[in-house]
Amino acid sequence: MNIIYKENVLTADDFIMFQRKMNWNEDSRELIAKSLSNTVYSIVALKNDEVIGMGRLVGDAAMYWYIQDVFILTQYQGKGIGTEIVKRLIDYVKINAVPDSGYSIYLFAAKGKESFYERLGFKNRPHEYEGAGMEIEGPVK
């Protein structure tokens, strides 16, 4: 399979197309565009110029990095594309973190996908040092 990986080219149109192909709720173009403009780094996987996978890094780009939106079209899952995207995201952090310092990479795994990330070195939470990941959501008024 001839897959090409490109950095920092993810567009709102690509993201919306991906949401449609995966039959997900479609976010507004404005919301996606703003979100992508605040992305630290992104990777897309392309086959014949079609985005078939993506992953983003968000955070402060120093101490705290968050892997966000690792998505692979269903028909391409299980072919190593997600692994390659996550490895490239991790490599970006290692190369761009402040020298002689530590870094932390966090993510929220989709239910049932925890083992995928564990194989790449992530620890499931809670564990002996950290509690469960948490979040708060709400409408904007």
Side-chain angles (χ1 to χ4, degrees), residues 28-92:
S28 75
R29 187 174 209 303
E30 177 185 14
L31 177 64
I32 294 168
K34 181 161 184 162
S35 179
L36 293 178
S37 73
N38 291 315
T39 296
V40 173
Y41 176 74
S42 66
I43 290 283
V44 295
L46 300 147
K47 181 176 181 196
N48 301 325
D49 293 326
E50 173 192 9
V51 176
I52 62 167
M54 71 177 80
R56 300 190 303 138
L57 278 173
V58 298
D60 66 16
M63 292 190 323
Y64 302 108
W65 307 77
Y66 295 84
I67 291 179
Q68 190 69 37
D69 300 330
V70 176
F71 302 135
I72 311 301
L73 290 178
T74 305
Q75 63 268 35
Y76 296 103
Q77 292 178 6
K79 300 181 185 312
I81 297 165
T83 298
E84 182 65 23
I85 287 172
V86 172
K87 284 181 178 179
R88 287 174 183 240
L89 295 171
I90 293 169
D91 287 346
Y92 181 88

